[in-house]
Amino acid sequence: VCLTCCSRDVMVKINQICHKNSVKFFTGDVFGYHGYMFADLGEHEFVEEKTKVAKVSPGVEDGPDTKKAKLDSPETTMVKKRVVFCQLKEALEKAAPKRIAPDYFLLQ
């Protein structure tokens, strides 16, 4: 579900319904130079590719061992990760700014 130009109450209510039913939720809007975007993907699982770098001993800077290490393709492993996104209501409660950022006034 994608929302824009909605009131805060409507966004929170629709996000709660989407989160309860495991539906991905996006909302955002732009006001001149300023804007926001929020995504609640619920429980999101993905695979990340990690590369293992071949280590060359510090004493050997040149020679066939160094060239071989540079030419070998790096090993890659796939790591499964899981992220749990918070709901919009929780994010709004946490994000109460204590002061206004100075760049806000620069853009004005």
Side-chain angles (χ1 to χ4, degrees), residues 56-83:
V56 179
S57 59
V60 179
E61 294 182 10
D62 197 12
D65 292 338
T66 307
K67 290 178 184 175
K68 184 179 178 186
K70 289 180 183 176
L71 294 176
D72 287 343
S73 61
E75 288 184 37
T76 59
T77 57
M78 303 303 255
V79 179
K80 187 174 182 179
K81 293 194 173 186
R82 181 175 163 261
V83 177

Side-chain angles (χ1 to χ4, degrees), residues 3 6-15 25 27 36 88:
L3 292 180
C6 293
S7 69
R8 179 179 170 159
D9 294 336
V10 171
M11 289 187 292
V12 169
K13 185 175 181 178
I14 293 175
N15 178 233
F25 174 83
T27 187
Y36 69 90
L88 179 61

Side-chain angles (χ1 to χ4, degrees), residues 13-107:
K13 185 175 181 178
I14 293 175
N15 178 233
Q16 289 174 340
I17 294 168
C18 289
H19 194 83
K20 181 180 174 184
N21 294 300
S22 300
V23 175
K24 295 178 183 353
F25 174 83
F26 298 91
T27 187
D29 211 340
V30 176
F31 310 100
Y33 287 113
H34 303 281
Y36 69 90
M37 184 274 194
F38 179 81
D40 177 3
L41 304 179
E43 292 185 19
H44 182 66
E45 292 186 357
F46 61 97
V47 177
E48 185 175 80
E49 188 175 300
K50 295 276 187 174
T51 57
K52 291 183 180 178
V53 180
K55 293 183 180 179
V56 179
S57 59
V60 179
E61 294 182 10
D62 197 12
D65 292 338
T66 307
K67 290 178 184 175
K68 184 179 178 186
K70 289 180 183 176
L71 294 176
D72 287 343
S73 61
E75 288 184 37
T76 59
T77 57
M78 303 303 255
V79 179
K80 187 174 182 179
K81 293 194 173 186
R82 181 175 163 261
V83 177
V84 179
F85 286 75
C86 70
Q87 294 185 39
L88 179 61
K89 184 177 181 179
E90 295 169 16
L92 290 172
E93 289 170 357
K94 291 179 189 176
K98 294 183 180 177
R99 64 180 192 97
I100 297 173
D103 56 346
Y104 172 78
F105 296 106
L106 289 173
L107 290 172

